Amino acid sequence: MTDPAIYSTILIELNKAVKMHNFYPVGHPNLNAILSKCFVLLRKSVDENGEIKFKLDQKGFYVNRVIVASGSLELAVFSKKFLYRRIKEITFAPQLVQSDLKILLEILMLEPDELLAKGGPEEMLAEMDSKGILLNEMRYEDLIRIKKELEEKKFDEEISSVLEFTDENPGSSQKQADKIEEPKKATAEEQEEALSELTERLKNETDDLIYSDLVMRIKDKTDLLTAEKKFDEIFPALVVLTANAEPDARRSEGIKETSGSRLNEMMSDTDTLGYLVKKLANKNEPNRLAIEQMLLRGKESAVELLLEALMHSSDAQTRRIIFNVIVRFGNSITPLLERRLKDPQWFVVRQMVALLGALANPESINTLINTYDHSNVKVKREVLKSLSRLPSQRATELLINALESDDPGIVAFSVISLGVLKEASAIDAIGKVAVRWERFANNQEPKKEAIKALGLIGDKKAVPVLTKILSKKAWFGKKTNEEFRALAANSLFLIGGNEAMQEIREAYKDSEGDLYKTCKRILDGSNAANAPAGTQR
């Protein structure tokens, strides 16, 4: 009994031969080597167990009603190449010779309409003098009969040709018969045109079976172009496949699945992914959204390449584009990012912290808190910023403790994060920063952010602190103090309530400059909102 695995091996080798036939003429050593390997396997199996009969449907090939290599996408697509040409059954008989495989390849390389014009696969098999391959429900007697009918038909045509021959152009018929067109190997340009034509057909094809055949033929060409690193020629096909694989594409589920499966295969190639990452980094790239969808199919390999590009790009806009694409991979890449936190370069660690913050995966909280111990202050600041997206008791404790730092930047980032979190338990600590006296003007950023954060949190416990800031007047550093007062007025408005609004009215009475404008805007807006219906201008 034949080992079922041998059937899978036979079909895989035959599929390889079909692919190679796209690029190598009959008789090429590379093609002959694959055909020989396939023939040896077939010959051995036929000699030991008799004829091999494969039946086909869209799922693949069957022997004795058992599917060969169940779940193999490669063989499922290969079977459709036969079905598209109306071949539902293939029999390899004991009379099989190696030239029969070449005949089968010639049949598969023809377009379905071309094959039909030649009388169909059975007639072409007989015309090319196959010895040991039968198609569909043919018997060996049928093959012999069709051969005989074709010979008789050919003889009749030759007789008719002789009878119609005239002396008007003596020798011309023979000269025409003697002209043999040498097989012309397609140039690189012709291959590109052929791929572009297939891609155009892919855009409008609606039949699942025909579409699968087109994808298979495109695969044959793109595999070779990928090996030659001619990615510009492949890219248009990638764009079409991506569009057809989208969940909201107006395509059948079969076409979406076929497109997605082929894209997944192509995105397993590191060189292809590298090419796409470079295109993504081009700020003027018109197909950026499509490229993003392609890269998402590249999984961890794509993320690694994107991270490298992120680290080495000197352009802020390009880094933002790459950053946003990495975030789209979601929490599955968290372990990969966390591993890079051990990188000796501080800017790499900072970027990983920023990405973890953007992902906002709760499982990263402890890792981020531990990273706060990093020696570089910019990394510390990024940790504080990232924790604003991950509310937790540990995060709040770290942010409040960071308010005691001697670094103004760290204090400012802590205040901002606590404000975003609307952490009411931090009001007293933030209030201390808001009323803290700073000797130098360039250290005022934490104070400004603290005043704004109290308004964002929106708790009435902050009203006394903000009132103190709003009512404070100063002769030295008046401009800065007026800015603090204007910020306090705005935060009181955000908190709301009668007490807060009354403090704003009192400050408005003798205000000027930016404070006057802020108070007036608040009060005008409040009066308009409280005016009876129909009285507003």
Side-chain angles (χ1 to χ4, degrees):
M1 181 177 179
T2 303
D3 181 358
I6 195 67
Y7 297 130
S8 174
T9 305
I10 289 169
L11 291 169
I12 289 172
E13 292 301 322
L14 185 59
N15 190 20
K16 287 180 183 177
V18 172
K19 293 177 183 178
M20 293 186 74
H21 197 286
N22 285 319
F23 306 106
Y24 298 114
V26 174
H28 192 282
N30 290 349
L31 181 59
N32 286 343
I34 291 291
L35 283 173
S36 296
K37 185 176 181 180
C38 186
F39 175 72
V40 168
L41 292 169
L42 278 166
R43 187 72 263 172
K44 181 180 179 183
S45 181
V46 169
D47 289 343
E48 292 176 354
N49 302 284
E51 70 176 24
I52 302 174
K53 187 186 294 291
F54 290 108
K55 293 194 175 183
L56 301 84
D57 65 16
Q58 293 195 28
K59 294 180 180 178
F61 297 80
Y62 296 78
V63 175
N64 298 326
R65 298 185 179 180
V66 177
I67 191 167
V68 178
S70 178
S72 170
L73 176 64
E74 180 182 2
L75 294 185
V77 174
F78 187 38
S79 71
K80 292 172 184 177
K81 204 170 188 73
F82 288 89
L83 292 170
Y84 187 36
R85 288 157 181 79
R86 301 185 181 182
I87 300 172
K88 298 181 179 179
E89 188 176 303
I90 315 163
T91 301
F92 295 100
Q95 296 86 351
L96 182 72
V97 293
Q98 186 164 332
S99 60
D100 289 337
L101 297 182
K102 295 180 181 179
I103 295 171
L104 183 60
L105 291 190
E106 292 296 327
I107 291 173
L108 292 176
M109 296 314 296
L110 287 176
E111 291 287 343
D113 51 352
E114 293 176 328
L115 184 59
L116 187 62
K118 290 178 176 290
E122 296 91 345
E123 188 167 315
M124 188 172 172
L125 200 67
E127 185 177 4
M128 298 183 74
D129 198 25
S130 171
K131 302 289 191 301
I133 293 181
L134 303 174
L135 300 176
N136 296 324
E137 297 179 354
M138 286 178 72
R139 295 173 300 172
Y140 200 70
E141 294 80 2
D142 296 326
L143 183 62
I144 295 172
R145 176 181 54 77
I146 295 173
K147 285 182 181 180
K148 186 176 180 180
E149 290 174 355
L150 288 173
E151 288 172 358
E152 291 175 353
K153 182 180 178 182
K154 185 178 180 180
F155 179 76
D156 291 341
E157 288 174 351
E158 289 176 350
I159 293 296
S160 299
S161 178
V162 170
L163 293 174
E164 293 172 0
F165 181 76
T166 66
D167 292 329
E168 292 179 5
N169 296 294
S172 62
S173 297
Q174 186 60 41
K175 289 177 183 177
Q176 283 295 107
D178 289 341
K179 287 184 180 178
I180 302 174
E181 185 179 354
E182 292 293 329
K184 185 174 68 173
K185 187 175 181 179
T187 62
E189 183 180 354
E190 288 170 337
Q191 287 182 10
E192 180 184 356
E193 290 175 355
L195 177 58
S196 64
E197 289 169 5
L198 291 171
T199 301
E200 283 299 315
R201 289 179 60 188
L202 210 60
K203 291 179 181 179
N204 303 310
E205 186 54 62
T206 57
D207 183 274
D208 286 13
L209 199 56
I210 298 175
Y211 189 91
S212 294
D213 182 72
L214 288 171
V215 170
M216 186 65 182
R217 292 166 63 195
I218 286 173
K219 179 183 185 301
D220 294 343
K221 296 184 180 299
T222 55
D223 283 350
L224 182 66
L225 292 169
T226 299
E228 297 175 350
K229 303 190 187 309
K230 296 181 178 179
F231 300 111
D232 285 337
E233 297 178 25
I234 298 170
F235 185 68
L238 287 174
V239 172
V240 175
L241 287 169
T242 300
N244 291 346
E246 285 294 296
D248 57 352
R250 295 183 178 179
R251 293 292 197 159
S252 69
E253 291 305 312
I255 285 177
K256 290 179 185 178
E257 183 180 350
T258 300
S259 302
S261 297
R262 177 57 188 143
L263 275 172
N264 290 340
E265 290 177 25
M266 297 179 80
M267 292 306 108
S268 65
D269 179 74
T270 305
D271 290 333
T272 302
L273 291 172
Y275 166 80
L276 292 172
V277 170
K278 287 180 181 178
K279 282 188 75 70
L280 181 75
N282 181 356
K283 290 181 284 189
N284 299 317
E285 173 56 51
N287 293 297
R288 180 174 295 120
L289 292 178
I291 293 172
E292 289 182 13
Q293 292 301 117
M294 297 174 206
L295 289 170
L296 289 173
R297 294 177 180 273
K299 300 181 181 177
E300 188 167 319
S301 297
V303 177
E304 291 282 7
L305 292 169
L306 286 164
L307 287 173
E308 287 300 315
L310 181 65
M311 293 303 103
H312 293 95
S313 176
S314 59
D315 182 79
Q317 186 177 347
T318 299
R319 288 199 302 273
R320 175 50 56 183
I321 290 169
I322 296 172
F323 185 98
N324 290 340
V325 176
I326 294 173
V327 172
R328 290 189 64 187
F329 283 83
N331 290 338
S332 64
I333 65 171
T334 298
L336 191 156
L337 299 178
E338 290 181 348
R339 288 198 296 271
R340 289 198 172 214
L341 290 173
K342 299 177 182 178
D343 196 288
Q345 302 176 97
W346 68 265
F347 58 87
V348 173
V349 178
R350 183 179 67 171
Q351 202 64 263
M352 296 308 106
V353 169
L355 285 165
L356 288 170
L359 290 174
N361 184 353
E363 295 179 4
S364 299
I365 291 175
N366 291 337
T367 300
L368 286 169
I369 290 173
N370 293 336
T371 308
Y372 185 72
D373 293 332
H374 198 279
S375 59
N376 187 278
V377 70
K378 292 183 179 179
V379 173
K380 290 179 178 288
R381 293 176 184 177
E382 199 64 50
V383 169
L384 298 173
K385 181 180 177 182
S386 294
L387 288 174
S388 68
R389 300 183 178 91
L390 293 162
S392 72
Q393 184 176 350
R394 285 201 67 195
T396 299
E397 290 173 358
L398 176 62
L399 290 168
I400 292 176
N401 290 335
L403 296 177
E404 302 298 327
S405 172
D406 294 331
D407 183 279
I410 287 180
V411 176
F413 272 91
S414 301
V415 167
I416 292 169
S417 293
L418 289 166
V420 171
L421 290 170
K422 298 185 180 299
E423 187 54 59
S425 66
I427 285 178
D428 290 341
I430 296 174
K432 290 178 181 178
V433 177
V435 297
R436 185 185 298 168
W437 179 75
E438 296 290 349
R439 179 178 301 177
F440 301 105
N442 58 354
N443 285 348
Q444 303 299 341
E445 200 62 31
K447 187 179 180 81
K448 294 177 185 177
E449 294 299 338
I451 297 170
K452 289 189 283 186
L454 291 173
L456 287 174
I457 293 171
D459 194 295
K460 286 183 169 56
K461 284 168 55 179
V463 171
V465 175
L466 293 170
T467 299
K468 181 178 180 179
I469 297 169
L470 179 60
S471 60
K472 182 179 179 180
K473 298 179 181 180
W475 297 106
F476 297 102
K478 182 178 181 180
K479 182 178 180 181
T480 301
N481 187 67
E482 291 298 294
E483 185 180 357
F484 294 153
R485 294 179 72 191
L487 290 172
N490 198 61
S491 286
L492 283 168
F493 171 66
L494 291 175
I495 293 172
N498 293 332
E499 182 183 356
M501 293 305 297
Q502 183 58 37
E503 295 296 337
I504 295 172
R505 292 190 192 95
E506 289 297 322
Y508 176 62
K509 292 177 181 178
D510 59 352
S511 63
E512 56 185 35
D514 288 341
L515 177 59
Y516 171 81
K517 293 177 183 177
T518 300
C519 292
K520 186 176 189 306
R521 173 177 52 80
I522 292 170
L523 294 174
D524 287 349
S526 176
N527 292 335
N530 295 326
T535 64
Q536 298 180 37
R537 292 186 180 180

